[in-house]
Amino acid sequence: VQTCALPIYIGIFCVTALKPFGSGDAFLGTTMATLAAGPGISAAVTRGAAAAAIGVSRRGCARAMPTAGEIDSFMESHAMDSTDAATD
């Protein structure tokens, strides 16, 4: 994520993926909705990453999209992995 100052590196949530599709829809939709709510770009991208992780770990596409409550619960119970994030 590029801000006015320096780039911010945000990790991922590791899950067992059942399918490769739907992650972009979940990520972008959740990121944009979170940005509209106002908590900032880092929080929005992190929440989007959680939604994408949930989406790929479920079967189906539209029915795999998480609710806001499911994203909240997931983020409380899963740590973000940032070991592969760039550090320069």
Side-chain angles (χ1 to χ4, degrees):
V1 176
Q2 181 68 45
T3 65
C4 293
L6 298 171
I8 299 168
Y9 298 97
I10 297 174
I12 61 168
F13 291 97
C14 294
V15 296
T16 300
L18 299 178
K19 53 154 175 49
F21 50 86
S23 61
D25 294 335
F27 175 79
L28 189 57
T30 301
T31 299
M32 294 298 104
T34 306
L35 274 175
I41 188 72
S42 293
V45 170
T46 300
R47 193 165 176 82
I54 294 167
V56 299
S57 67
R58 296 178 174 175
R59 298 208 186 279
C61 195
R63 69 175 187 248
M65 296 300 149
T67 65
E70 290 171 329
I71 296 169
D72 292 339
S73 294
F74 180 87
M75 290 179 70
E76 289 173 7
S77 63
H78 290 77
M80 181 171 262
D81 180 3
S82 59
T83 57
D84 289 333
T87 57
D88 54 359

